[in-house]
């Protein structure tokens, strides 16, 4: 599952690395809305929420669908500006239909993208959007109703909310990360200039790479989408507050944008989705879970496992082979026997609840 960005024939200068105040503010708002995604920023989020004026806190709750589960496309600028005010001016220049559709995608789910007519002019599409919003909750429904009834008023209110965030916490936080972002950008742009696109993308993340054909950027994400950078280019925006997310703009009509987390001092190599899928499939069988439970208590041979669970050795061998391919077991030969043991670090990485279930 990947996002593929077609860059065939794209001039090198159309691949941009740039910092965006609006994109970083959006990442901060996501942290405030979903602090569980960002445990390393839990203290910051708690301090900000405690200091928010009640009126601003309420305004953030009423519009949080624009950045909670997925960012609205207009919040990740294709052409970043030096200041938040300039980027908000660019958002103001987007026509109502484009803005409303992007906002509804974030509010109601990406199925709205499939609607060709505008919900501002087509009654059927409008009702469908409201139905989707209603299914997601009363706040989403109320926001969608206001947006469709008076786009200009909602747009102005969202802009003012973001401006108030700047006054309340963003300006101070931005001053604290801007040097880190600038350092990251110097590295990326130097790689792009002297070593080429592949080297620059490799430095972005282990989940981003140049395809062997050299004509596509491949982003390892839980979706199957293809978009094109022809005529507009592609923009990469570093983020301190966005870790661990790779946010991407890929909808038709929008220039591709990827917001990536700046490198940590000792970054962990991202686990490919293919590996995660392989491990989850390996754990989906109850017999393999039982074997893991036994192996969590010490190494065992195939024969010992077969005896413990009253299975045939060939059946146990088949299950062990699946677990080994998924990287969940290690094997060590002792004389005539091979002893299998749990790969505890990789199992732990899948989740503490899973580990607790195996160990208890």
């Amino acid at each position: 599952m990947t996002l593929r960005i077609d860059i065939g024939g794209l001039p090198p200068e159309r691949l941009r690395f740039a910092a965006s105040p609006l994109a970083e503010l959006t990442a901060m708002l996501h942290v405030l809305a979903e602090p569980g995604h960002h445990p390393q920023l839990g203290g910051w989020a708690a301090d900000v929420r405690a200091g928010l004026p009640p009126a601003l806190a309420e305004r953030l709750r009423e519009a949080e669908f624009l950045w909670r589960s997925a960012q609205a496309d207009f919040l990740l600028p294709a052409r970043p500006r030096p200041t938040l005010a300039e980027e908000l001016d660019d958002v103001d220049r987007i026509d109502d239909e484009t803005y409303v559709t992007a906002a509804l995608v974030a509010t109601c789910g990406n199925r709205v993208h499939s609607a060709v007519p505008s919900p501002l002019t087509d009654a059927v599409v409008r009702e469908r959007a409201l139905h989707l919003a209603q299914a997601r909750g009363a706040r989403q429904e109320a926001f969608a109703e206001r947006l469709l009834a008076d786009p200009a008023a909602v747009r102005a209110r969202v802009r003012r909310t973001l401006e108030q965030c700047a006054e309340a916490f963003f300006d101070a936080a931005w001053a604290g990360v801007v040097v880190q972002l600038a350092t990251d950008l110097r590295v990326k742009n130097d790689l792009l200039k002297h070593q080429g696109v592949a080297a620059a993308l490799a430095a972005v993340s282990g989940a981003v790479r140049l395809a062997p054909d050299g004509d596509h950027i491949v982003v390892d994400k839980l979706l199957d989408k293809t978009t094109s950078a022809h005529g507009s280019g592609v923009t990469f925006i570093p983020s301190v507050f966005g870790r661990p997310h790779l946010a991407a703009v890929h909808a038709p009509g929008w220039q591709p944008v990827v917001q990536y987390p700046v490198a940590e001092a000792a970054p962990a190599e991202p686990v490919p989705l293919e590996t995660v899928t392989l491990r989850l499939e390996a754990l989906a069988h109850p017999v393999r879970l039982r074997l893991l439970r036994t192996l969590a208590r010490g190494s065992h041979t195939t024969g010992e496992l077969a005896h413990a669970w009253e299975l045939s050795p060939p059946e146990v061998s088949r299950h062990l082979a699946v677990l080994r391919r998924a990287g969940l077991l290690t094997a060590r030969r002792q004389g005539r026997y091979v002893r299998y043991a749990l790969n505890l670090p990789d199992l732990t990485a899948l989740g503490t609840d899973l580990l607790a279930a195996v160990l208890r």
Side-chain angles (χ1 to χ4, degrees):
M1 290 177 282
T2 58
L3 168 64
R4 294 175 62 86
I5 304 172
D6 186 352
I7 59 168
L10 192 73
E13 63 272 15
R14 293 288 181 86
L15 195 151
R16 308 180 188 89
F17 285 88
S20 163
L22 178 56
E24 194 68 358
L25 172 55
T26 302
M28 294 178 192
L29 292 173
H30 173 73
V31 172
L32 293 176
E34 290 285 4
H37 291 187
H38 309 269
Q40 76 279 11
L41 294 171
W44 175 87
D47 290 343
V48 170
R49 286 197 300 270
L52 285 177
L56 177 55
E58 177 56 30
R59 291 174 75 125
L60 289 177
R61 281 191 291 270
E62 74 181 30
E64 70 177 7
F65 325 108
L66 297 177
W67 50 73
R68 181 165 198 155
S69 298
Q71 293 91 332
D73 288 341
F74 52 77
L75 295 175
L76 296 178
R79 289 175 174 76
R81 308 288 189 183
T83 68
L84 179 63
E86 291 174 288
E87 292 186 328
L88 292 175
D89 287 343
D90 286 344
V91 174
D92 287 345
R93 296 185 184 98
I94 298 172
D95 64 83
D96 279 348
E97 290 191 2
T98 301
Y99 184 103
V100 168
T101 299
L104 288 175
V105 168
T107 304
C108 307
N110 59 13
R111 286 172 291 177
V112 177
H113 266 322
S114 62
V116 177
S118 166
L120 293 176
T121 57
D122 188 284
V124 173
V125 177
R126 177 191 183 90
E127 287 305 311
R128 180 167 176 264
L130 289 173
H131 176 73
L132 289 172
Q134 182 183 45
R136 294 171 72 93
R139 284 186 178 273
Q140 286 95 326
E141 182 183 15
F143 181 84
E145 287 178 344
R146 291 194 302 272
L147 181 66
L148 289 168
D150 193 346
V154 171
R155 294 180 64 164
R157 186 171 176 84
V158 169
R159 173 168 182 151
R160 182 56 187 147
T161 298
L162 297 177
E163 290 171 338
Q164 289 176 342
C165 288
E167 300 163 9
F169 63 87
F170 172 72
D171 287 346
W174 177 251
V177 303
V178 69
V179 173
Q180 192 173 353
L181 296 176
T183 300
D184 181 88
L185 289 172
R186 280 196 296 273
V187 171
K188 302 301 189 294
N189 282 308
D190 184 68
L191 286 170
L192 183 63
K193 179 179 179 180
H194 297 291
Q195 298 185 38
V197 174
L201 295 179
V204 167
S205 167
V208 180
R209 66 185 188 277
L210 185 67
D213 62 12
D215 289 338
H216 293 84
I217 295 171
V218 181
V219 183
D220 196 22
K221 284 181 69 69
L222 278 170
L223 47 80
D224 283 306
K225 298 287 184 181
T226 301
T227 188
S228 173
H230 294 172
S232 58
V234 56
T235 301
F236 287 85
I237 300 174
S239 173
V240 171
F241 282 78
R243 185 180 298 118
H245 302 305
L246 271 174
V249 174
H250 54 78
W254 293 84
Q255 177 180 320
V257 178
V258 176
Q259 184 186 39
Y260 65 92
V262 297
E264 299 178 83
E269 187 66 20
V271 178
L273 284 172
E274 181 181 359
T275 300
V276 174
T277 301
L278 197 63
R279 289 174 179 171
L280 292 176
E281 289 174 348
L283 293 167
H285 199 292
V287 170
R288 292 196 278 272
L289 279 177
R290 295 188 189 110
L291 295 177
L292 282 181
R293 185 179 180 186
T294 301
L295 292 168
R297 287 156 174 78
S299 62
H300 289 73
T301 66
T302 300
E304 290 170 339
L305 292 169
H307 177 75
W309 290 103
E310 297 182 351
L311 300 168
S312 69
E315 184 178 3
V316 171
S317 293
R318 287 194 297 271
H319 287 301
L320 292 177
V322 173
L323 292 167
R324 287 193 68 189
R325 283 197 298 271
L328 297 175
L329 296 182
T330 61
R332 183 166 57 91
R333 179 170 289 280
Q334 286 185 334
R336 296 170 49 202
Y337 301 100
V338 175
R339 303 191 68 84
Y340 296 92
L342 189 65
N343 184 346
L344 194 59
D346 285 356
L347 186 65
T348 303
L350 281 174
T352 54
D353 287 346
L354 171 62
L355 180 64
V358 169
L359 292 178
R360 69 171 175 258

